[in-house]
Amino acid sequence: MRTRIHVMPRLIIAFAVLMALAPGALAFYPFGFFSAEQGGQLEFIKWPLSKFDTNGDGDVTIDEGIELNFEFSDDIDPNFFTEIEVDKVLAGFTEWELVSTAFVGFRRGQDITDPVELDASLNTIDAFNVVVFESEEDVIEQGGTLTGGSYVLDLIANSFEDTFITIGGTTIPVDGAQIIDVDTVYNAINREHEAEEPGVIKSVSVLGAGTFLGLGYSPLENIDEDASETAGRLVEDKVVAIRNFDGEIGLRGVTSSMLNAFIAYDEGGGIFVDSHQDLAPDDIAGITFLYPRADQDLFFNLAQRVRSQGSNNVASTPIGGAWIRAWCDADNAAGSNRVPMFDTLTGLYNNGIDFNFRGHFQLNGMFKQLETLDEQSFAANYVVTSSEFLPIVFPGEFRSIYDTTHGGFNGGVVGDGAIVFDTLFPSEVFNEDGNLFGLQSVDQGTPLVFDLIRRRIVSETSDRTLDTILAAGRPMFGDQNETCPLNVVIGPPVDGGGEEALTALRGVRDNLLLQTAVGAAITDVYYRIAPSAASALTQNASLLTAARWAFDGLRWVVLHAEWLLVAASALLFGALARNRTVRLRAAALTVAVSLFAFAGTANAQMLPYEISDYFAMADDVVVGKVIECESRWIENNTRIITDIAVQVDEPIKGKQNSGGSVHLQLPTGRVGAIGRSSAQMPAFAVGEEILVFLDAQKKGYMVAGGVAGKFRVVPHPKTGEKYVFATSMQGHLLFEREAAKMKQQEPADGIEVSNASGPLKIDFENRTLVKLEDFVKYLRDLDRDQQKHTLTAKQSE
């Protein structure tokens, strides 16, 4: 009898080319979409290499890179950047250049000496990257602010397919999924905060540069709760040693630089430094994936599945939207806590919203080895967990914050096709002897390391490979569906030939199909239809007979795979030898497969304002329904805007009336193949009910507070009672703090705030739920208090 180890290599060769072309979900959150031109292939929105390598010599030197043109003056003028401020901005951008495994660069271009009209020329799609300063004069000129309470705002123009665009009277071709230009606005308040805490400008520039390059923000953080409570701010520890491009090693935190919240290092003596000033491991992995240098042997990938718990003969199902985290022993020190170093979501980057693609994930760019600060190398080990993602609202809620690939990235307009996220499934910690429930068990999980000799992922505890641990179709989380039609076809007892073929097929599943997104999808499709197929076979004798004939043929192929492979190879090489065209096509396919391994947002840093601050900034605050949302070109097809109409159901602040409508105009949107976006500005969809803070502009309203100034109003699926939810991570954090203030009010105020539990649980255990009517009452009370304060201040003058 042939053994499995002999059969497997032959079968792997037969499928290798197809499986090599299968992309997986990624360990970071970039902009992406599925290209109709490329047959549904996942495309990432990024800069073409030619924008970095301007002289075409295959390298990026100090005088090359993407051009940044600053609004600058040698004279002291509050409307312009100073030389020192420009240097601080460039220092933030340089952090991304120092990633030795990535291929990016920036250079200073022209100085803009005339003030830039923020409501006009800034929004023009002209392939000219400007970095401008939003001063008080700019605010007066446009009647409001573009930055909306943020330090820095990026407006990104990009293409979604191969097209042409006219710039300066010249029509030029543009490839699909390409960034065309990025215009950046820095809020003048940077100067005030820089004076209080030096380093703020560099920190926000690190974040701005990340979005500039095509990275979206991440929910991954590692906050020291005790230190944060003592300091009165979010604090993280420096726990991992990382080298820069020049080889210098230093400690840094693991909270993503693309996390949109203020995180600081405690340097002691009351000194705090914004931790966005350096890059975290997942930032390094993300930028490396988008813009890889040649040698990528520092990283490895983990591909697996998440399914539900099966019970009472009910088959398990793949889970969409499970949050996967890899917790690392970053310092190799006994007794130290594991830190969440990489994360992703199931189903996030799989084409389409088919149910069977939901449960797959792939963590790309995990470090094989790390170092201690004294330069001692050690194998990085990870414990992997699965849990509910936050913030989730109700099943069916569109996750535009992180999921840009399923219709989310549409220049500020919410699209269709998002994955429906499951809720109420238990958190699991992967353990090779049986998974553990609850993230508090992370230290009891099985540490996984990459074996440099075997080139496989193995258990640090037992030294078994992950393929062996998860054999026979076992997913990393949840239960497999064990109902298999082959068991019916072969029947008991299984003869030798049938057992050998069945073992070989399971080997193909575990060691080949489950290692890629497409292969895992095929496997899930099989297991999804398996119960029905097995039932049909047992009830139809003719169908069972035909299936057994088919399996006999498959068994013959497995038993004679080596001779079939030799014959196929002989025919192939014979064709290559006689036909030059076929030979060239085969060579091109080989090159394409090799290069594919390297194939794989606009966002802004929020100021430390509270919701009450944004409420004070707003001219009007209303509850209403979006009745219109349309993007269009203006000014001879040089600018894209989106018009949003909101029917007012209930005014809270300002002069709007119930039954009327308000018009918002955003400098974002998508028309055809071209889009303009900024994740600092919220997205809207026709039909959604919202509570929104409005900032009056000359050409309509904008949203005060940006993404933090828009809330979803969602009815409970059972009671119909309406609740308010933030629509961004920044807004969520602010909303939690505001709800805490509401709890402290006297019961006589009649405000009800409850923690999620039981049937009302939406996404995670401590989610605070606030009823719409209570939040409206709270805001009206806040409005009265703020008006009294303003009146008192005027009288005292």
Side-chain angles (χ1 to χ4, degrees), residues 250-263:
L251 282 178
R252 64 187 68 179
V254 295
T255 296
S256 172
S257 296
M258 305 308 293
L259 181 77
N260 223 22
F262 278 89
I263 313 293

Side-chain angles (χ1 to χ4, degrees), residues 699-771:
K699 298 181 180 179
Y701 287 104
M702 290 186 66
V703 181
V707 290
K710 178 200 170 188
F711 304 85
R712 284 290 304 275
V713 176
V714 184
H716 189 280
K718 293 183 179 180
T719 67
E721 188 144 31
K722 293 183 179 181
Y723 289 83
V724 181
F725 295 93
T727 57
S728 68
M729 181 62 76
Q730 307 97 298
H732 165 73
L733 296 173
L734 296 175
F735 191 58
E736 288 286 327
R737 292 208 291 268
E738 206 71 28
K741 297 177 185 178
M742 295 175 65
K743 289 182 182 181
Q744 296 173 0
Q745 294 196 2
E746 295 295 329
D749 287 342
I751 295 175
E752 177 183 343
V753 181
S754 61
N755 284 333
S757 61
L760 207 56
K761 180 181 176 185
I762 304 303
D763 54 357
F764 61 100
E765 292 180 359
N766 297 315
R767 180 63 180 263
T768 299
L769 299 179
V770 178
K771 293 180 180 179

Side-chain angles (χ1 to χ4, degrees), residues 506-586:
R506 286 171 176 164
V508 172
R509 174 196 62 194
D510 299 337
N511 298 302
L512 180 62
L513 293 177
L514 294 182
Q515 304 308 310
T516 66
V518 169
I522 294 172
T523 304
D524 255 353
V525 169
Y526 173 79
Y527 280 112
R528 180 160 172 76
I529 66 175
S532 299
S535 176
L537 289 173
T538 57
Q539 298 176 28
N540 191 313
S542 299
L543 187 61
L544 179 59
T545 300
R548 285 176 171 166
W549 274 97
F551 181 78
D552 286 340
L554 178 62
R555 181 173 62 182
W556 185 90
V557 170
V558 170
L559 295 176
H560 300 87
E562 53 190 353
W563 297 111
L564 292 173
L565 183 62
V566 170
S569 300
L571 292 173
L572 175 61
F573 285 111
L576 292 176
R578 294 192 303 270
N579 190 317
R580 181 175 181 273
T581 300
V582 174
R583 186 167 64 250
L584 291 175
R585 288 178 179 174

Side-chain angles (χ1 to χ4, degrees), residues 111-263:
D111 291 335
I112 305 171
T113 57
D114 295 326
V116 176
E117 295 288 348
L118 294 186
D119 63 343
S121 56
L122 179 72
N123 303 333
T124 301
I125 300 176
D126 52 10
F128 186 73
N129 307 314
V130 299
V131 185
V132 302
F133 202 80
E134 185 177 57
S135 68
E136 292 183 1
E137 290 186 14
D138 291 317
V139 172
I140 294 172
E141 187 69 27
Q142 69 194 36
T145 67
L146 275 179
T147 49
S150 65
Y151 268 113
V152 61
L153 176 145
D154 285 334
L155 286 169
I156 299 178
N158 74 279
S159 59
F160 289 91
E161 58 191 56
D162 295 346
T163 187
F164 293 88
I165 187 170
T166 300
I167 297 175
T170 301
T171 300
I172 59 174
V174 176
D175 294 334
Q178 176 178 317
I179 296 176
I180 301 171
D181 73 13
V182 181
D183 296 328
T184 302
V185 188
Y186 279 74
N187 193 319
I189 203 168
N190 277 283
R191 286 186 176 135
E192 297 178 23
H193 286 269
E194 182 72 20
E196 297 171 1
E197 296 187 22
V200 167
I201 292 179
K202 178 187 175 183
S203 297
V204 300
S205 298
V206 169
L207 179 61
T211 63
F212 196 104
L213 292 167
L215 285 177
Y217 52 91
S218 165
L220 193 67
E221 50 85 5
N222 181 48
I223 306 301
D224 185 329
E225 294 184 3
D226 292 335
S228 299
E229 184 175 354
T230 301
R233 63 173 70 200
L234 296 177
V235 175
E236 70 162 329
D237 299 321
K238 297 181 179 180
V239 294
V240 59
I242 299 289
R243 291 185 184 272
N244 279 337
F245 183 81
D246 57 4
E248 181 181 353
I249 192 169
L251 282 178
R252 64 187 68 179
V254 295
T255 296
S256 172
S257 296
M258 305 308 293
L259 181 77
N260 223 22
F262 278 89
I263 313 293

